[in-house]
Amino acid sequence: MDILMRSGMLIDIDHMSERATDETLALGRDFPSGWGYPLISGHNGPRGTGGEERHLRADQMEAIRDRGGMLGLGWSHSDAARFRENFGRVREILGDGRVAFGTDMNGAEHQPGPRAGTRVATTWRTGLRVWDYSVDGVANYGMIPEFVQDL
């Protein structure tokens, strides 16, 4: 990591083990710039919202903030209400301007489902299939505007 930092590379700590995350954050803290090295988490969330090791603890998010980094708040296994709740938790720690919208749709992640009682209308169609956000949630990239509307 030190070589990447000295080269000015953008380092995303997502998908690291908890140990590797902690070690990378420590390297960022000790980087000889006088203020640390900014690190990012591209599509993650706060610990306690999914139980996965890669979800960040509050002290890890504070370390990202203190080094000038940012977090892309992930949305897997959620809906608009849960995302909004997680956004509030993360923003409280990181502050304004340090939280981004971090989708992760290139793998087998569960995309956001519809929020109970949502009345978001959609006109998204692929072939003969009509996607209904209130039934299908974010079934494809074209439905991100419906998710944002639901927020």
Side-chain angles (χ1 to χ4, degrees):
M1 289 296 169
D2 184 58
I3 292 170
L4 296 176
M5 290 177 186
R6 282 188 278 123
S7 299
M9 297 290 291
L10 185 61
I11 300 172
D12 188 334
I13 63 171
D14 283 357
H15 301 286
M16 291 183 179
S17 69
E18 187 167 22
R19 179 178 170 189
T21 297
D22 287 335
E23 290 175 359
T24 303
L25 290 168
L27 283 170
R29 178 193 64 229
D30 298 333
F31 189 73
S33 66
W35 52 271
Y37 194 87
L39 300 165
I40 65 164
S41 175
H43 52 265
N44 213 328
R47 188 67 67 86
T49 59
E52 299 156 7
E53 180 184 15
R54 68 183 176 102
H55 282 177
L56 299 175
R57 301 182 316 259
D59 65 299
Q60 292 170 324
M61 288 187 277
E62 289 166 356
I64 290 169
R65 176 200 64 211
D66 294 347
R67 286 153 190 72
M70 65 183 299
L71 182 137
L73 181 60
W75 65 355
S76 66
H77 300 280
S78 69
D79 60 19
R82 186 170 179 189
F83 182 87
R84 191 172 43 247
E85 178 183 318
N86 288 340
F87 176 77
R89 291 176 65 190
V90 170
R91 184 177 176 207
E92 188 174 306
I93 294 170
L94 292 169
D96 290 339
R98 298 226 179 263
V99 185
F101 191 44
T103 64
D104 187 8
M105 294 183 75
N106 63 341
E109 284 291 337
H110 293 271
Q111 303 311 317
R115 179 178 52 84
T118 189
R119 296 182 196 249
V120 174
T122 183
T123 58
W124 186 261
R125 179 184 299 268
T126 53
L128 299 176
R129 174 74 192 262
V130 175
W131 301 95
D132 182 348
Y133 177 83
S134 65
V135 175
D136 303 306
V138 182
N140 57 59
Y141 276 114
M143 299 181 83
I144 291 175
E146 283 77 11
F147 180 77
V148 172
Q149 181 182 352
D150 198 16
L151 286 172

